[in-house]
Amino acid sequence: MHNYKFHPIAIVGYGCIFPPDGYDVKRFWANVLSGKPGIRTTPADRWKWETYYDEDRNAEDKTYCRLGGTIHEYTFPFEQHSFSRPQLDKLNRTQLMLLDSILQAMSMTRSGQSGFSNDDTGVFVGNMLGDEAFSDYSINLRAKEFAYYLERHPAYARLPGDTRDQVRQQFRRLVDEAFTALNEANAENIMYSALGKSVRNLLDIKGPSIIVDSACSAGVLVIDEAIKHLQDKKLKTCITTAVLGNMNITGNVAFAKIGGLSPTHSSPLDHQANGLIPGEGAGTIILKRLDDALAEGDAIYAVIRGVGAASDGKGKSIYAPSSLGQLAAMKKSIERAGLRPKDIDYIETHATATLVGDKVELNTLSMLFADEGLPQGSVALGSVKSQIGHSFSAAGMANLIKVIEGMRHRLMPPTHRFERTPEEIRLEETPFYVNTEAKAWPVRAAGEPRRASVNAFGFGGINASVVVEEYLEPYHRELVNKLSRGEAAPGGFVDIAVVGVGVVDSRGAGKDVWWEKVAEPFASRSDYPETRWNAEVNEIFGGSASGGMEASFVERLNFPSIKFKIPPIVLPEIDKGQQMALMAAGEAIADFGQDKLTPEKTGIYVGAMLGLESSVMADLRIRFVEYIEILKQIPEFAALPEDVKNTLLSDITTQFRSYIPKVGEDTLPGYMDNIIAGRIANFYNVQGPNVVIDSDTTSFMSALEQGMLSLASGENETVIVGGVHANMTPEFLEFFRVIQSVFKDNCPKCLTELGNFVPAEGSVFFVLKKYGDVRPGEKVYARIKGVLGEAEWANRASYGKAEGERAEELPAYSLCCNSFSGGAGRHQFYFGAHGGFLMLKGVLALHHREYSALDDPASEASGRHQTSRLTGVYSHSIMGGDYALLLDEASSDSLLILGASEEGRPEAEGRPPEPRHAYPEEASAVHTFYAGEEDPVRLLDKISRMLNAEQISSDAPEEAVARACRVAVVYRTDEELTRKLKALR
């Protein structure tokens, strides 16, 4: 972004639901003040602790924690809204909480619910693990497997026919009553990817919707990803939500196996801390640029001054906390705000009540404030987790809403049940204290806002922090006026170089092998590979048992264990998606050159439809005992001799456990979606943000857009962007079969029906950087000229010699959903990674100049083949929100110039178009940067701070001239300005 700076963001509405009965903000704040506990024994309607609890921490597939921060008898408040029950039947519990918190937030805004039905509003959801609905569907489906083992057991076969019939029929009936089966009516309820888009569509919001998964940091990192669209002016409003609704037993057991849970209580920051308590909840904030909110007369409840995200980089363990990434995230947020640590009054810590984690965070804070010279007791610390537990992906939002309420009431919020810090931590030697009572929140100086930092640190080494302050109209109007001086409008040009490529799929591993085989019909089969799980799976779910399945598998994944330092004995617990992503990303990084990566200026953005194969299998491993509980309820089975029952149940248990790995300390990181990106960051020492993004079948394109926005803003110099799909379980393939009847709209570009696609697995990665940053001698495969959402396709645009046409009509070549054909009208389909594979085909075709590999678009474009190689790559979303990616050859210097649509846009009214993207400005435009100070030392220090904070902001000319020492720099591009300032420094 030209003269990039972080523009303050207004919070114009917020809402929440948190334990035990914080059904809205008012009640949540009352609970914060009173200390009302939300932690209790997990209710039986979530999971039966009697089945899964064991004090022995080594007990197989058991947990030693039966507690949870749960919302008491939550139901959607229909009486407060105009929705009927049938309208919301397709939403699961997590979606209902998400919708509830959004409606609360909308009710606080100037326009109410009616003001968001436009394409300038986006919905961004921080989440991990989706909803419990998919797990219950899986258990319903896998009952066929349990019945298969039961009915083929010799002891069962010897039973009388009537007994066998009764047991079989009653078992199926009880399973169907306990666990919902998949059908066309509930497909959206079950699909992880529908979490945000179902709610967006219900509210008639036309803008984008993505899920941001960075595990426990998602509640703040989602704010960072949403704000990119506001800073860039791609959107005017971001509905930003964080939610955790999946309290299923599998996560509890998996966390127990790494020793992360407490059997007794939650005591963050306290000497009694002995583990976290899982919790649930949802929170929403509605965001706008502060200048827009002020101009439009919005009610403003708080202001975000800065937000930062950073990875831990290389470390000993994928789940061990590190001060490196935490410190970097907090520094980013404070520096982007133009502040210093001493400007912070209060810190709502991540503190989960794990002794090691809390110590690391307190050490991080000490490092951050080490040079501030503050007296003891001047900065308050707090944690709401002693009341509501750790709500993982929603935790950061709970922290933030607690702080916003404190500012609005001018009360420093208390932390309850705190006695003293661990012995090794001496707060009396630091500026910090843990605030344990509600008291007046003091101000540092008259007219200055109260200010806080809010932390959310994620499992897998991804950390996020946000600086928020109370809204004071005079202060913030002056701030906007000051920041707007010398601030250039976002430019309208994209020019991103593809400098590294890697891929793994059924064709093999490596871009060269892939390109050699891409024109050949793809390999597929109607059963599961013998090495995938066990021999019985095909009799139960494959071939004719599945109603005619067809899929394209990676049958022999030769994962280089030695290279990636993952022992072969652990591999069965590491999801194939994580393995393939490491391989493809590794190839792309090596292709570019790992030594060229600047760790703290490199980010990782991965697109995937959430829900890994290994999570499904771990869930089955733990929960198959519920089939045994059901079987014991059947009178005919209960009446059998004890030795017969014991033999049957023991042998069936052995069958399940024989092919699904035991749940151990590697299981949890092995099945978490965000660890796809986390493993890459950990191995390659990437210290910028790492995140997994889901927007159903356009997930890769959404990840690409977020990565490009981070390049545009200057947050990163290099991004590693990829897509992966590797869930080929019977659950996923059956789900795909059912949704073919639900999502009947064909791709509008190629008109291919969903039923003509063949599920495929694979991973593809690219290394990207601004073309202006490409160094002499670096290979450039192709250049990205634009990523357009549906609303932008109709914009008037020009590219090279083609002017005044709609953007969708510009490409001379195109690729679409049906670009990987296997004959008979069948096409390979990679789900969330599909856009990445389409981009790969386009990039390599342009690189090798094999244009015959690119499909021709409409016939009227064919005349441009002689003058343009611009290629449109189209990605279709089954739930709405298609993308178009524009690629060109490495030698093309043409730029896509977006204007506005023919109807309702500025040029239709005789005004010039307003650019909609914040990428480098046109090279022909000349700008002048001014800076002034009283002496050369202060001037150079000022310039150094700007460069370090990536916030190059020009003084007004008259301000610079008034100073004793001043400098003016003439430049054409952001890169040129940065280069000149670095030389000056």
Side-chain angles (χ1 to χ4, degrees):
M1 186 182 293
H2 173 65
N3 279 3
Y4 173 71
K5 65 182 74 173
F6 186 95
H7 189 91
I9 301 297
I11 297 173
V12 299
Y14 59 104
C16 69
I17 307 101
F18 287 108
D21 56 1
Y23 305 123
D24 54 37
V25 169
K26 182 178 180 180
R27 279 179 277 197
F28 174 58
W29 176 244
N31 289 344
V32 167
L33 293 179
S34 70
K36 187 173 185 177
I39 294 170
R40 56 177 176 154
T41 299
T42 301
D45 62 346
R46 309 305 291 276
W47 52 271
K48 296 180 180 178
W49 68 266
E50 297 90 346
T51 301
Y52 293 105
Y53 176 77
D54 197 311
E55 291 183 1
D56 180 3
R57 297 191 177 206
N58 296 314
E60 196 165 349
D61 303 333
K62 301 286 186 180
T63 179
Y64 58 85
C65 174
R66 57 187 176 185
L67 302 177
T70 55
I71 300 167
H72 182 62
E73 296 182 353
Y74 174 74
T75 58
F76 183 82
F78 285 96
E79 69 282 359
Q80 298 176 24
H81 304 289
S82 59
F83 296 106
S84 66
R85 292 182 184 274
Q87 280 182 287
L88 302 188
D89 279 347
K90 68 178 181 179
L91 300 186
N92 58 46
R93 189 174 186 275
T94 304
Q95 289 169 324
L96 288 172
M97 290 197 298
L98 187 151
L99 174 64
D100 189 351
S101 70
I102 289 175
L103 291 171
Q104 290 180 40
M106 286 180 169
S107 71
M108 296 180 71
T109 65
R110 173 177 52 85
S111 58
Q113 185 181 333
S114 63
F116 299 92
S117 182
N118 56 64
D119 59 22
D120 283 329
T121 298
V123 177
F124 298 81
V125 180
N127 177 253
M128 58 183 279
L129 303 178
D131 185 78
E132 296 165 6
F134 190 93
S135 174
D136 284 350
Y137 147 60
S138 172
I139 296 303
N140 182 286
L141 180 71
R142 290 283 182 155
K144 292 169 60 177
E145 184 174 354
F146 187 91
Y148 176 92
Y149 298 142
L150 178 66
E151 291 169 14
R152 281 158 180 75
H153 196 287
Y156 186 84
R158 289 192 291 269
L159 298 178
D162 288 349
T163 300
R164 295 199 305 271
D165 290 343
Q166 283 297 316
V167 170
R168 182 178 63 253
Q169 293 169 12
Q170 292 300 314
F171 177 75
R172 187 68 254 179
R173 179 182 64 80
L174 291 172
V175 164
D176 288 338
E177 289 176 359
F179 311 108
T180 303
L182 175 68
N183 55 54
E184 293 181 17
N186 66 12
E188 283 189 39
N189 175 301
I190 286 169
M191 183 169 68
Y192 282 20
S193 301
L195 189 62
K197 285 193 172 182
S198 287
V199 174
R200 177 201 64 179
N201 295 345
L202 184 71
L203 294 172
D204 197 32
I205 296 169
K206 305 297 194 303
S209 175
I210 65 173
I211 300 170
V212 172
D213 187 350
S214 60
C216 317
S217 64
V220 171
L221 199 139
V222 68
I223 299 171
D224 190 28
E225 295 305 319
I227 282 174
K228 287 178 171 63
H229 293 256
L230 297 175
Q231 298 288 339
D232 185 71
K233 293 192 176 180
K234 284 178 72 70
L235 296 173
K236 290 199 70 174
T237 308
C238 289
I239 297 172
T240 309
T241 296
V243 62
L244 191 289
N246 188 345
M247 291 280 284
N248 143 313
I249 182 57
T250 300
N252 191 299
V253 172
F255 257 105
K257 296 311 175 189
I258 63 172
L261 303 183
S262 168
T264 54
H265 65 288
S266 176
S267 295
L269 304 172
D270 195 76
H271 71 106
Q272 300 179 86
N274 63 351
L276 65 85
I277 300 295
E280 64 178 338
T284 294
I285 54 176
I286 298 179
L287 306 176
K288 297 178 72 170
R289 284 174 60 104
L290 180 58
D291 54 358
D292 286 343
L294 287 170
E296 295 169 16
D298 289 298
I300 299 173
Y301 301 101
V303 176
I304 292 174
R305 290 293 307 277
V307 61
S311 303
D312 292 340
K314 190 175 289 292
K316 294 180 180 179
S317 168
I318 193 71
Y319 53 78
S322 166
S323 286
L324 179 68
Q326 295 177 4
L327 184 63
M330 294 194 72
K331 277 187 172 181
K332 274 187 185 181
S333 65
I334 292 171
E335 287 174 357
R336 286 176 179 170
L339 301 169
R340 294 184 61 90
K342 64 182 180 182
D343 296 317
I344 305 298
D345 310 323
Y346 175 87
I347 299 169
E348 182 69 11
T349 62
H350 178 65
T352 63
T354 60
L355 198 57
V356 172
D358 289 3
K359 287 179 181 178
V360 169
E361 185 172 8
L362 289 170
N363 182 59
T364 300
L365 294 173
S366 295
M367 294 166 65
L368 181 68
F369 282 78
D371 298 327
E372 297 301 291
L374 294 177
Q376 196 280 328
S378 54
V379 181
L381 307 180
S383 174
V384 74
K385 293 181 179 67
S386 62
Q387 295 179 250
I388 67 173
H390 183 15
S391 49
F392 300 105
S393 52
M397 199 64 77
N399 291 354
L400 180 58
I401 291 174
K402 170 187 170 183
V403 167
I404 295 170
E405 279 292 283
M407 289 176 174
R408 291 192 67 203
H409 290 88
R410 300 180 178 180
L411 286 176
M412 191 80 75
T415 291
H416 297 279
R417 287 172 281 286
F418 173 83
E419 293 181 358
R420 64 181 187 276
T421 55
E423 291 182 7
E424 301 91 323
I425 302 295
R426 293 179 172 83
L427 283 192
E428 65 274 10
E429 298 175 5
T430 74
F432 311 117
Y433 71 99
V434 176
N435 185 56
T436 57
E437 59 180 353
K439 62 180 183 180
W441 189 326
V443 295
R444 289 175 305 283
E448 281 279 309
R450 295 167 175 84
R451 193 174 287 127
S453 279
V454 173
N455 290 340
F457 302 147
F459 189 92
I462 174 61
N463 312 281
S465 183
V466 60
V467 174
V468 62
E469 61 191 21
E470 71 171 324
Y471 172 63
L472 299 177
E473 184 174 355
Y475 176 91
H476 286 102
R477 284 195 180 276
E478 176 57 29
L479 178 65
V480 166
N481 291 336
K482 179 181 177 181
L483 291 174
S484 65
R485 290 196 290 268
E487 181 183 30
F493 307 101
V494 180
D495 198 1
I496 303 296
V498 180
V499 294
V501 178
V503 64
V504 177
D505 77 347
S506 60
R507 296 172 181 84
K511 63 183 181 299
D512 295 331
V513 171
W514 191 90
W515 183 245
E516 287 175 8
K517 297 182 178 182
V518 71
E520 302 173 7
F522 63 86
S524 65
R525 55 190 296 164
S526 59
D527 59 0
Y528 293 96
E530 294 179 3
T531 57
R532 194 73 175 203
W533 295 296
N534 58 348
E536 293 83 3
V537 70
N538 277 312
E539 292 187 46
I540 305 168
F541 298 109
S544 59
S546 68
M549 68 164 274
E550 182 184 6
S552 178
F553 293 91
V554 176
E555 298 195 27
R556 293 178 181 84
L557 183 66
N558 297 315
F559 182 78
S561 297
I562 295 175
K563 172 183 176 180
F564 290 113
K565 300 179 182 179
I566 298 177
I569 195 171
V570 173
L571 278 184
E573 296 180 66
I574 309 300
D575 189 82
K576 283 185 171 58
Q578 294 182 10
Q579 296 179 40
M580 287 193 283
L582 264 176
M583 292 171 68
E587 182 190 8
I589 291 168
D591 189 27
F592 171 62
Q594 185 182 350
D595 60 324
K596 298 177 186 176
L597 297 176
T598 303
E600 64 274 13
K601 297 292 288 182
T602 301
I604 301 171
Y605 297 84
V606 181
M609 288 182 67
L610 300 179
L612 297 186
E613 186 171 285
S614 58
S615 71
V616 177
M617 303 313 293
D619 196 57
L620 178 61
R621 163 87 188 204
I622 293 169
R623 294 192 65 190
F624 83 88
V625 296
E626 296 181 39
Y627 299 135
I628 293 175
E629 297 297 317
I630 286 175
L631 205 56
K632 290 177 179 179
Q633 297 175 33
I634 301 171
E636 288 79 2
F637 182 84
L640 296 177
E642 289 299 315
D643 61 332
V644 173
K645 288 190 291 187
N646 291 339
T647 297
L648 286 169
L649 299 181
S650 175
D651 289 351
I652 293 174
T653 297
T654 299
Q655 285 273 9
F656 277 101
R657 290 180 171 176
S658 67
Y659 76 96
I660 308 175
K662 177 182 177 181
V663 177
E665 64 178 17
D666 294 300
T667 302
L668 182 65
Y671 79 60
M672 290 178 65
D673 296 276
N674 79 291
I675 303 298
I676 297 172
R679 287 195 189 278
I680 300 168
N682 181 269
F683 186 81
Y684 287 102
N685 195 33
V686 172
Q687 296 172 22
N690 79 78
V691 63
V692 174
I693 289 172
D694 184 348
S695 63
D696 69 71
T697 50
T698 55
S699 297
F700 170 82
M701 290 295 186
S702 293
L704 176 63
E705 181 176 39
Q706 297 303 122
M708 289 171 59
L709 286 171
S710 80
L711 289 176
S713 70
E715 176 186 24
N716 291 309
E717 295 173 353
T718 312
V719 292
I720 301 161
V721 177
V724 61
H725 180 77
N727 188 342
M728 304 293 271
T729 55
E731 286 87 343
F732 192 87
L733 296 187
E734 173 64 11
F735 169 78
F736 179 63
R737 186 188 66 79
V738 171
I739 65 171
Q740 292 171 21
S741 301
V742 177
F743 302 107
K744 297 180 180 180
D745 291 339
N746 301 343
C747 170
K749 204 72 182 174
C750 65
L751 304 180
T752 307
E753 296 180 3
L754 198 57
N756 290 331
F757 291 121
V758 175
E761 59 182 345
S763 181
V764 58
F765 273 80
F766 305 91
V767 178
L768 308 177
K769 63 191 301 186
K770 290 180 184 178
Y771 185 74
D773 290 341
V774 172
R775 301 171 185 171
E778 287 185 345
K779 183 196 303 183
V780 176
Y781 286 90
R783 286 155 76 171
I784 299 173
K785 302 296 185 173
V787 176
L788 310 181
E790 267 187 277
E792 297 167 305
W793 286 12
N795 282 9
R796 293 182 62 83
S798 63
Y799 184 79
K801 295 181 180 180
E803 296 184 4
E805 302 179 66
R806 291 171 179 264
E808 63 182 332
E809 299 169 354
L810 289 172
Y813 298 91
S814 73
L815 293 168
C816 202
C817 312
N818 60 355
S819 292
F820 302 108
S821 179
R826 305 287 280 166
H827 310 283
Q828 222 175 2
F829 191 63
Y830 299 88
F831 296 93
H834 197 67
F837 279 91
L838 293 173
M839 175 173 160
L840 177 65
K841 187 174 182 180
V843 164
L844 293 182
L846 291 169
H847 176 64
H848 292 291
R849 299 188 177 182
E850 296 186 18
Y851 309 117
S852 60
L854 303 172
D855 302 323
D856 290 351
S859 57
E860 61 266 21
S862 61
R864 289 200 294 273
H865 289 182
Q866 301 302 315
T867 59
S868 173
R869 303 299 183 189
L870 186 67
T871 301
V873 178
Y874 302 96
S875 186
H876 176 55
S877 166
I878 59 175
M879 294 198 67
D882 296 356
Y883 279 92
L885 163 68
L886 299 178
L887 294 171
D888 209 338
E889 293 180 305
S891 60
S892 173
D893 289 324
S894 297
L895 294 172
L896 176 71
I897 302 173
L898 280 179
S901 62
E902 295 184 29
E903 297 180 4
R905 294 296 185 186
E907 70 267 38
E909 303 166 18
R911 298 195 301 273
E914 179 182 340
R916 291 176 61 101
H917 295 282
Y919 295 102
E921 293 208 358
E922 189 175 17
S924 61
V926 177
H927 309 283
T928 304
F929 166 87
Y930 299 94
E933 272 297 345
E934 295 307 316
D935 59 65
V937 173
R938 290 183 180 180
L939 178 60
L940 291 175
D941 182 58
K942 180 177 185 176
I943 292 171
S944 292
R945 287 199 307 271
M946 290 184 195
L947 290 169
N948 292 338
E950 303 150 17
Q951 297 178 8
I952 301 175
S953 177
S954 176
D955 289 342
E958 60 273 18
E959 289 182 357
V961 169
R963 300 300 182 103
C965 188
R966 60 243 184 207
V967 64
V969 180
V970 176
Y971 65 99
R972 293 178 181 275
T973 66
D974 292 346
E975 291 77 13
E976 182 183 358
L977 174 61
T978 301
R979 187 170 63 251
K980 288 183 175 181
L981 289 179
K982 285 181 177 178
L984 182 63
R985 180 174 62 174

